[in-house]
Amino acid sequence: MREIVIISGKGGAGKTTIAGAFAHLAENAILCDLDVDAPDLHLLLDPDKREESEFWSGHEAVIRAEDCVHCATCLNMCQFDAIEFSIEGYSVKPFRCEGCKVCVELCPAGAIDFPERKCGHWFVSDTRFGTMVHAQLFPGEENSGRLVTLLKQQARQRAEAGGLDLVLSDGTPGIGCPVIASLAGTDLAVVVTEPTPSGIHDLERVAELCEGFRTKVAVLVNKWDINPAMTEKIEAYCRDKGYTLLCRFPHNRAAVDSMLERKVLTEYDPGGLGTLLKQAWKDTLALLEK
Amino acid sequence: MIFAIASGKGGTGKTTVSASLATLWENDVTAVDLDVEEPNLHLFLNPEITGTEKGYVTVPEADEERCVKCGACRDICQFKAITLMAGTLLVFPEMCHGCGGCMAVCPEKALIPGRRELGEIVRGRSGNMEFLMGRLRIGEAMAPPLMRQVKERMGFIATGDVIIDAPPGVSCPAMNAVMDADAVVLVTEPTPFGFHDFKLAWEAFSPLGIPMGAVINRAGLGDSTVQNFCKEKGIPIWAEIPYDRAIAEAYSQGRVIADAVPGLRDTFLKLKEHMVAAAEENDMLGVFRA
Ligand code: SF4
Ligand code: SF4
Ligand code: SF4
Ligand code: SF4
């Protein structure tokens, strides 16, 4: 089984627009939205939820005020500034608590509970392009890496069970924990970038991360005509590094219009954009064979 | 006063807005890039770098001689960063959150504090502006501890107002960046993706009780769902930046759009007035409440 993930180093580069089109073109694939903080792929694919599960991960500290003896041990030991002292006594700020259990273990009065934390939901859905695995993390939760890993496992299992040979994922922005989880075990990363100073900067950082995972890198330059000179620079960088350049994608309102119509570009090919992506997808698949 | 520029998602123009605001702020101002995974603000402000220091997290180092293999450290570690395997103590520094629990519970004092590099904290100046950013080491998964260190520095050096370029999304890092602000600017786009992420961000940040206003970037591009939602929920729209190819081009050249595109300077000055007024009003309410 093969895995392709579409990433961008930063959000808003057009990752989901590309992922949506590729989802349409992919045959025999399980689709997966790994951007669990701010998933968007469902806006294009209009999934019908078939299964819904809660995602529990980690714990959080909760002080029982009536048992607290005001010794301040927790306040002093918490490395994450999650313990607050006010006129109402000691309490835990849930957003800051990392669930490390230090206060729980060290509280001399045993006044701190450590319940499991419900962090969000994940789903298996039907879409017009096949089965999709996706999730929504509650705001402020930080276990997105674990949720990404869970989604990937689910996608793989379902692909195997269904005799499908590809997992196609809309990845996560950034270069931190969730992307690291997205890249683990992935064969090919399609990096969507823009010809802007941040675009090239982010591309370099995320490509370096891919190399660390021995994930093959292919690059798609979105809105290339906004700054042709910068596009040249990005392409030179790719040649230099041996990354395949999949496509120069123009700046075009149709990308937004298709979003408004809840369609992907390959479904109706406005201004030839869909045709461009069809070629890009062919080239992407060819890369898997290499 | 502290202002955070946030967005439900990357690519909506958060950094462009931050750069423009920082550039036209007449009072003393410190521009802080807390998007440590993909810091981009410096690409627009071009600060002269005056100092770079490394950020570390404290991780345990084992003194094998002293360890009696009691397993107390393994039992407290919630992140599987320390374990006993076939009688050998193993530490996985990459997984350590630096909570200090293992060191606190080890009866033999066999664990001593070592360190793992998180990334760097960069300080600079651009005109009258102080500049500060964090840059996560590639391969480092934990952004929040580096962000905390950048915020600590911010506490030392910031005189006057602070403009924070927050990380995208609504997960832990974003909440962390927004938490201490006096007012939050939510940058969004009038597209289905933009609206979806905006709604998530609004739901996530609302409980913090910080005054919040919207900036609609690329106005005229999509539909008016975002505007309608703002009206319905009573979210003030502090600025609308039109959809204009000239803006996209200026951005792609690394220029500050308030300087580069005629008419935008006034838009941003108005935005500033709204931000300051909202923060001041909230301050007054705070006095009343206290
Ligand atoms: S350590 Fe326990 S007893 Fe001490 S202040 Fe914290 S909650 Fe209260
Ligand atoms: S569990 Fe850890 S992070 Fe949470 S409050 Fe206790 S010491 Fe702080
Ligand atoms: S410091 Fe905390 S996270 Fe790190 S190894 Fe020790 S117990 Fe685990
Ligand atoms: S707690 Fe200390 S003595 Fe016990 S296994 Fe860990 S390092 Fe060794």
Side-chain angles (χ1 to χ4, degrees):
Chain A
M1 187 183 332
R2 258 80 56 85
E3 277 186 52
I4 299 178
V5 64
I6 301 165
I7 52 174
S8 66
K10 73 168 187 124
K15 192 168 55 62
T16 303
T17 300
I18 308 299
F22 283 2
H24 174 216
L25 300 171
E27 285 160 23
N28 299 324
I30 290 275
L31 312 171
C32 191
D33 191 349
L34 296 177
D35 189 353
V36 296
D37 293 324
D40 277 338
L41 191 59
H42 65 281
L43 296 173
L44 293 178
L45 302 194
D46 196 20
D48 220 347
K49 282 174 195 158
R50 199 185 333 139
E51 293 171 38
E52 170 166 351
S53 319
E54 290 174 349
F55 173 62
W56 291 76
S57 179
H59 297 256
E60 82 187 349
V62 183
I63 294 175
R64 290 191 311 279
E66 64 277 18
D67 295 324
C68 169
V69 297
H70 298 255
C71 70
T73 304
C74 54
L75 184 76
N76 293 329
M77 289 306 294
C78 178
Q79 297 297 306
F80 308 102
D81 295 329
I83 308 271
E84 200 174 24
F85 180 62
S86 70
I87 31 173
E88 278 132 52
Y90 290 85
S91 61
V92 179
K93 287 192 208 162
F95 279 138
R96 296 220 170 164
C97 177
E98 296 241 348
C100 72
K101 209 179 180 187
V102 168
C103 59
V104 181
E105 291 283 333
L106 300 185
C107 170
I112 309 183
D113 292 330
F114 201 48
E116 245 200 299
R117 182 146 152 161
K118 186 169 151 191
C119 304
H121 291 102
W122 63 272
F123 319 95
V124 181
S125 303
D126 294 319
T127 77
R128 61 190 187 281
F129 305 144
T131 302
M132 162 157 139
V133 183
H134 54 129
Q136 176 71 62
L137 208 60
F138 295 144
E141 292 298 342
E142 52 145 350
N143 283 317
S144 45
R146 280 191 205 174
L147 183 51
V148 166
T149 305
L150 182 142
L151 289 188
K152 282 178 63 131
Q153 271 167 2
Q154 287 294 331
R156 276 180 206 147
Q157 275 171 20
R158 273 153 221 272
E160 235 155 66
L164 304 174
D165 52 14
L166 184 66
V167 173
L168 175 66
S169 303
D170 188 3
T172 45
I175 60 159
C177 179
V179 191
I180 290 177
S182 301
L183 286 175
T186 297
D187 301 278
L188 173 70
V190 174
V191 186
V192 180
T193 187
E194 289 179 342
T196 64
S198 22
I200 192 164
H201 182 247
D202 299 337
L203 166 65
E204 286 173 13
R205 281 167 69 78
V206 83
E208 196 178 328
L209 188 65
C210 290
E211 293 206 352
F213 278 95
R214 295 205 181 79
T215 303
K216 221 183 263 179
V217 177
V219 177
L220 185 150
V221 186
N222 192 11
K223 304 187 187 161
W224 76 271
D225 46 344
I226 284 279
N227 190 337
M230 182 82 77
T231 298
E232 293 287 343
K233 241 169 106 180
I234 291 177
E235 294 181 352
Y237 164 80
C238 291
R239 274 194 299 275
D240 195 38
K241 292 281 185 179
Y243 303 149
T244 304
L245 201 89
L246 282 177
C247 173
R248 281 184 169 199
F249 198 77
H251 182 57
N252 193 318
R253 278 189 78 119
V256 173
D257 295 337
S258 72
M259 215 189 276
L260 287 171
E261 290 183 32
R262 305 286 199 270
K263 271 191 190 153
V264 301
L265 292 167
T266 43
E267 281 177 293
Y268 67 118
D269 197 25
L273 294 181
T275 309
L276 265 178
L277 290 178
K278 270 184 193 151
Q279 187 55 46
W281 177 243
K282 246 192 214 154
D283 296 345
T284 304
L285 286 180
L287 277 176
L288 278 185
E289 306 306 325
K290 271 189 206 160
Chain B
M1 268 182 293
I2 301 177
F3 300 98
I5 318 301
S7 69
K9 186 128 187 180
T12 53
K14 191 172 52 64
T15 302
T16 324
V17 170
S18 306
S20 287
L21 282 170
T23 310
L24 55 72
W25 212 265
E26 317 80 69
N27 335 34
D28 281 346
V29 66
T30 306
V32 182
D33 197 343
L34 277 182
D35 186 0
V36 301
E37 287 187 41
E38 303 293 350
N40 286 147
L41 191 57
H42 64 290
L43 300 173
F44 296 89
L45 297 178
N46 294 310
E48 187 192 321
I49 302 305
T50 53
T52 301
E53 50 181 319
K54 294 233 151 92
Y56 297 95
V57 60
T58 303
V59 303
E61 260 170 35
D63 178 347
E64 291 286 343
E65 307 260 291
R66 289 187 152 197
C67 172
V68 297
K69 327 279 185 226
C70 70
C73 53
R74 171 201 56 203
D75 295 343
I76 195 172
C77 185
Q78 296 298 300
F79 311 107
K80 302 196 174 71
I82 197 162
T83 186
L84 278 168
M85 217 179 264
T88 326
L89 186 75
L90 294 174
V91 182
F92 303 101
E94 288 301 321
M95 293 164 75
C96 172
H97 285 222
C99 71
C102 53
M103 290 174 266
V105 298
C106 174
E108 303 299 323
K109 304 259 171 301
L111 294 170
I112 46 169
R115 61 188 194 177
R116 173 178 95 229
E117 190 188 323
L118 291 167
E120 49 186 24
I121 300 156
V122 181
R123 193 177 159 178
R125 280 194 77 81
S126 168
N128 307 322
M129 189 197 308
E130 289 280 351
F131 175 84
L132 192 63
M133 75 168 168
R135 180 162 27 208
L136 203 65
R137 179 175 59 82
I138 292 175
E140 169 60 50
M142 288 163 216
L146 183 64
M147 289 175 58
R148 269 197 294 276
Q149 291 176 21
V150 176
K151 274 169 106 179
E152 255 166 47
R153 297 298 179 290
M154 181 177 109
F156 296 133
I157 67 160
T159 52
D161 296 322
V162 176
I163 294 173
I164 294 178
D165 190 358
V170 294
S171 65
C172 182
M175 297 297 284
N176 223 302
V178 165
M179 208 148 37
D180 304 319
D182 296 289
V184 177
V185 178
L186 261 184
V187 185
T188 185
E189 287 181 336
T191 64
F193 288 2
F195 172 62
H196 176 70
D197 301 328
F198 177 76
K199 214 166 65 182
L200 285 179
W202 181 77
E203 281 164 8
F205 299 150
S206 287
L208 298 173
I210 304 169
M212 212 170 358
V215 168
I216 307 209
N217 194 14
R218 305 190 187 110
L221 177 63
D223 55 16
S224 49
T225 326
V226 175
Q227 282 94 333
N228 295 343
F229 180 79
C230 285
K231 205 182 272 168
E232 187 188 312
K233 300 286 180 191
I235 308 163
I237 296 177
W238 286 342
E240 295 202 18
I241 302 167
Y243 171 66
D244 179 353
R245 201 182 160 105
I247 296 177
E249 283 175 5
Y251 172 78
S252 82
Q253 290 152 5
R255 296 171 70 192
V256 174
I257 60 167
D259 287 342
V261 181
L264 279 187
R265 197 183 156 79
D266 286 339
T267 309
F268 280 103
L269 283 171
K270 281 253 171 55
L271 168 60
K272 183 198 166 182
E273 272 171 36
H274 284 303
M275 289 159 60
V276 172
E280 276 171 356
E281 191 184 331
N282 191 54
D283 222 28
M284 303 253 299
L285 285 174
V287 172
F288 281 128
R289 275 197 295 263

